[in-house]
Amino acid sequence: MLPEQRQRRRIVVAITGATGVQIGIQTLLALRKLNVETHLIISKWGAETIKYETDYTATTIKALADFSYNSHDLGAPISSGSYKIDGMIVAPCSVKTLAAINAGICDDLITRAADVCLKERRRLVLSVRETPLNEIHLRNMLDVTRAGAIIAPPVVGFYTHPASLEDAIQQMVGRVLDLFDLDSNDFTRWHGLKDNI
């Protein structure tokens, strides 16, 4: 068998049951615009949150990805380290998912794909969405960071003077994509203090 030939970058996107599913949706749209091959997993509660927070359905969001998988499909290609990907973004990442990834509990495809990223030393970005954070959350974030993940919570950059929620989300998504050396060109970057006097 010949080695796999691949031109496009390949990123797994997972949407879990935390508020802020629009971040995951906008991540998919930005990756599509950048011609990145996307592999999507939506958890059961991610699908419920999509219905509650947006006008989308899980089915319409799956159509934005190149490939989508049932969250219980542990036989999917992305469950194996031999399947080459460039990394994974969990946005939003619930604290339940964070805890499972940190504990190495691979009982669904999201946690298994994340575990594969860690063991294969591939980029894993967790956009943890919870406030306030308790000690358990903080310990899990510290430990999973020590294991190689990057915690990138959805934090608004007010220096961009966002005029809308969409502007704020674009900035959050753009910063996450920066971690993969992908430039969405959809947000204002910091260029130093300006003299407004």
Side-chain angles (χ1 to χ4, degrees), residues 3 8 56 77 124 132 165:
R8 296 167 68 196
Y56 290 97
L124 173 62
L165 183 56

Side-chain angles (χ1 to χ4, degrees), residues 2 8 11 18 29-30 36 44-45 52 70 80 93 106 120 130 144 150-151 164 167 177 196:
L2 293 173
R8 296 167 68 196
I11 295 178
L29 290 169
V36 173
K44 173 188 172 186
W45 289 107
Y52 187 77
N70 183 295
S80 172
C93 180
C106 302
E120 299 291 335
E130 188 63 81
V144 81
I150 297 173
I151 302 296
S164 66
D167 287 350
L177 296 184
N196 295 321

Side-chain angles (χ1 to χ4, degrees), residues 4-5 62 84 121 137 140 150 166 181 194:
E4 181 182 5
Q5 296 297 315
K62 288 176 184 177
K84 293 288 189 182
R121 299 290 186 233
H137 305 148
N140 283 332
I150 297 173
E166 182 179 341
D181 293 322
K194 296 177 183 173

Side-chain angles (χ1 to χ4, degrees), residues 7-172:
Q7 302 293 325
R8 296 167 68 196
R9 306 245 342 239
R10 186 183 279 169
I11 295 178
V12 175
V13 176
I15 297 175
T16 68
T19 190
V21 293
Q22 194 64 246
I23 299 163
I25 296 167
Q26 290 304 318
T27 298
L28 276 173
L29 290 169
L31 290 170
R32 185 179 189 150
K33 182 177 156 188
L34 292 167
N35 195 32
V36 173
E37 181 180 301
T38 51
H39 294 253
L40 175 66
I41 318 160
I42 301 174
S43 74
K44 173 188 172 186
W45 289 107
E48 291 299 316
T49 308
I50 288 166
K51 287 192 291 187
Y52 187 77
E53 291 186 352
T54 75
D55 294 328
Y56 290 97
T57 65
T59 302
T60 56
I61 302 222
K62 288 176 184 177
L64 300 174
D66 293 287
F67 302 92
S68 65
Y69 308 95
N70 183 295
S71 63
H72 300 294
D73 182 7
L74 290 173
I78 57 174
S79 69
S80 172
S82 68
Y83 189 76
K84 293 288 189 182
I85 62 167
D86 295 292
M88 179 174 181
I89 300 166
V90 184
C93 180
S94 68
V95 290
K96 175 185 175 187
T97 303
L98 166 69
I101 292 169
N102 182 50
I105 300 172
C106 302
D107 62 348
D108 67 11
L109 186 56
I110 293 173
T111 52
R112 173 58 187 167
D115 191 69
V116 166
C117 284
L118 292 175
K119 80 182 184 70
E120 299 291 335
R121 299 290 186 233
R122 296 173 184 155
R123 179 125 307 167
L124 173 62
V125 176
L126 307 177
S127 189
V128 177
R129 175 57 195 92
E130 188 63 81
T131 190
L133 297 165
N134 67 35
E135 185 179 342
I136 296 167
H137 305 148
L138 294 168
R139 276 200 318 261
N140 283 332
M141 285 191 277
L142 179 60
D143 289 346
V144 81
T145 299
R146 286 176 174 157
I150 297 173
I151 302 296
V155 177
V156 178
F158 289 100
Y159 63 87
T160 64
H161 298 281
S164 66
L165 183 56
E166 182 179 341
D167 287 350
I169 291 171
Q170 294 291 0
Q171 192 261 350
M172 293 173 201

